[in-house]
Structures are given as structure tokens and as C-alpha cells.
Amino acid sequence: MAQTMRKMPAMLAMLSGVLVAVSCAGHASNSAPPATAATLDDDEVAGLLEHHRYHHHGGVTLFIAMSLETLGVSPEQSAVVEKIRDNLNADMEAARQAEQVLVATLADGLKSGRFDSGKVDAALVNVTAAAAQVDTGSTDALNQLHAALTPAQREALIDKVEAHWAVWKRANGGDPEPRDRRGVQLAILESDLALTPDQTTKIRAALADDMKGVPPLDQQRVSAHLRAFGDAFQADSFDAKTVKTGQAADEQLVRWGAVHLVHVIESMSAVLTADQRTELGAAQQGELKTVLEKMI
């Protein structure tokens, strides 16, 4: 069992990566990685791609909080900015908890081989509703952040947020460069779960077909919000309440990520045997929840 647990994060990462690659094949936007990615080594770029593939709960606010981690502020600013980042994370907590409920619901379904559609749908509704509150809840923290940063730092922050959006698109719906990994990922799943050739064929078909049930992401709505927020945030005066595009952008990002995860888990469960689901899910449901939470 310990050996199985060590394999599970990689197996689930590959599982989701297969679906991402399938979706890329049908919805490629050919988004280039951000310019800042050129300064990172391969492991750092890969880590950022994996993070944005599995983390959606905070929408654009999550991009902002992550950008603060590497902004580079003076020692005098450090404590203030760290507190603001903590506040932003607190503002996203309800959305994170809503996603944990969705994860727990999927964990129950994967363990039993039967998903309660009513509970899954309710969890998806709650995830979207919680995401809609993140933008409104974070206005005070964003106003404090504007006051704490210099004009140059505000510009740098917006650049970093835009870079995170570019990486998110690459990870979730853009061109899977530097190479198409679908064959490699599915081969790893075949080995780890001892998939039969028939199962492999069915998984390919199921993942491709089920992506048709995932509503398309309106990337323009998110991009429009980033432009509106960026222009406002870089001005001398700023009030986050006047930027009205954030709620719709967060709803787009978070719901797409949640629905995407549901289709990944349900599609795979339909093809796997009970023993394979047990291996993927582990004996303890709590262990499975921990692993699945890493996918968000």
C-alpha cells in the first residue's frame, strides 16, 4: 500500500494531463508562455504549469496572491505585503473549502464506483457561488496593496499576474508544447494501473467525448478583467470596488476547473475495474481526498 500511495500523485497528475492534452487538441489557442518563463529552469516551469493545472479556486485573486510571493519588496514593506497576502488567502478560503467538498464527493464516488449526480451538481453550484464572492471579498486587501506598493512595483505585479494567466492557459487549454505528451502519459497510466489495450482505447474515447460536456472557457472575459484591473491598479488612485469585471472572470475560471475535474474522475472511473479504482483511490478515503486536493 505504501508503494501505491507513493505512485498516486504522479498517476493522478498524468491522468489529468491526458485530459488536458485531449482538450488542447480540440481547443488549442497556441498561447505562448510568458516572457518571464524564459528565466526559469525546466523544473520551475513544469512546477508552475502543474500548479495552474490543478489550482483554480481563487480565480484571478489567486494569481495576485501568487505574484506577491516573488514580487520583491523592501524589508520595510515586507511585513505589510505578507499580511495583505494572508488576507487575500483568507478571502479565498470559502472557495477553497467549497472545492474540498467537491473533492470529497468525487472521492466517495471513485471509491464506490458510483457517483451521486445530485451531490456532484450541488457541489459544483457551491464552488461557483463561492468563487463569485472572492472578488468582492478581496477589495479591501487590494486597496491596501495598492497603497503599500510603489508605482514600479504595481507595474511589476501586473506583469506577473499576466504571466500567471499565460501559464494557466498553457496548462489548461493552450498548446501543450514543448511536445505532445498524450502518448507518454497514457503509457504511464497503462503501466501503473495495468490497463488492457481495450481499456486504453476506451479511456481515449471517454476523455475526448466527455470534454464535450465541459462548457468552453471564455478567455476573453478573463483577459478583459485583467486589462481593466491592470489599468486601474497602476493609476495613482485606486478603488477595487470600481472594477466590475472580476466576479465574472473568477466564475469562469473556477467553474471550468471544477467541471473539468469532475469529467476527469468520472471518465476514468467508468473504465477502471474495482481493483484498479482501489489502487488509484487507496484503501483510506482520507488518503484519496489528500491526493485529489493536489489536483485543484
Side-chain angles (χ1 to χ4, degrees):
M1 181 57 66
Q3 183 178 3
T4 297
M5 285 304 299
R6 285 196 297 271
K7 292 193 298 183
M8 276 201 299
M11 290 161 59
L12 284 170
M14 290 299 172
L15 178 157
S16 188
V18 171
L19 181 53
V20 168
V22 170
S23 69
C24 290
H27 302 85
S29 63
N30 294 319
S31 302
T36 53
T39 65
L40 303 175
D41 62 36
D42 290 344
D43 288 341
E44 289 171 319
V45 171
L48 196 55
L49 285 169
E50 290 301 299
H51 181 92
H52 281 309
R53 185 170 297 153
Y54 309 135
H55 294 74
H56 309 289
H57 67 270
V60 173
T61 303
L62 182 60
F63 296 164
I64 296 171
M66 291 179 65
S67 297
L68 289 177
E69 297 176 8
T70 58
L71 182 60
V73 296
S74 69
E76 293 77 17
Q77 295 171 299
S78 180
V80 173
V81 171
E82 182 65 21
K83 183 177 180 180
I84 292 171
R85 188 167 71 87
D86 289 343
N87 289 340
L88 288 173
N89 287 327
D91 294 331
M92 294 184 285
E93 179 60 20
R96 188 186 69 82
Q97 290 182 2
E99 281 194 337
Q100 285 184 325
V101 172
L102 174 61
V103 165
T105 302
L106 294 175
D108 291 341
L110 186 56
K111 183 178 179 181
S112 67
R114 181 181 179 277
F115 295 90
D116 187 322
S117 60
K119 289 184 178 180
V120 172
D121 289 345
L124 284 171
V125 169
N126 290 336
V127 164
T128 306
Q133 302 304 313
V134 171
D135 181 72
T136 301
S138 62
T139 53
D140 288 345
L142 292 175
N143 288 341
Q144 295 167 11
L145 181 61
H146 180 273
L149 300 180
T150 66
Q153 289 170 334
R154 294 174 202 147
E155 181 179 359
L157 178 69
I158 296 305
D159 287 344
K160 287 179 177 292
V161 171
E162 291 279 2
H164 277 290
W165 170 228
V167 174
W168 192 98
K169 288 189 290 184
R170 178 179 169 187
N172 292 283
D175 190 344
E177 290 291 342
R179 63 183 180 276
D180 186 343
R181 300 187 303 272
R182 280 171 287 174
V184 174
Q185 291 164 333
L186 200 51
I188 292 174
L189 282 174
E190 284 183 278
S191 175
D192 287 347
L193 294 179
L195 299 178
T196 67
D198 182 60
Q199 284 180 311
T200 300
T201 299
K202 288 180 178 178
I203 288 171
R204 288 184 184 275
L207 293 179
D209 287 345
D210 280 358
M211 275 305 296
K212 298 174 183 177
V214 179
L217 174 68
D218 187 350
Q219 295 189 6
Q220 292 303 315
R221 182 170 293 185
V222 180
S223 296
H225 170 59
L226 289 177
R227 287 193 298 271
F229 174 76
D231 290 345
F233 193 78
Q234 292 179 81
D236 291 337
S237 61
F238 172 74
D239 184 356
K241 294 178 181 178
T242 65
V243 182
K244 303 295 187 180
T245 50
Q247 178 174 322
D250 286 346
E251 286 179 330
Q252 280 283 310
L253 281 172
V254 174
R255 178 163 179 82
W256 186 91
V259 174
H260 182 273
L261 177 63
V262 169
H263 282 285
V264 169
I265 299 303
E266 290 186 347
S267 297
M268 287 292 294
S269 180
V271 177
L272 299 178
T273 66
D275 287 344
Q276 288 168 332
R277 287 198 310 270
T278 298
E279 183 173 2
L280 183 62
Q284 297 293 324
Q285 189 179 52
E287 292 171 339
L288 173 60
K289 291 175 184 177
T290 300
V291 173
L292 290 181
E293 283 167 6
K294 295 179 182 179
M295 298 179 64
I296 296 186

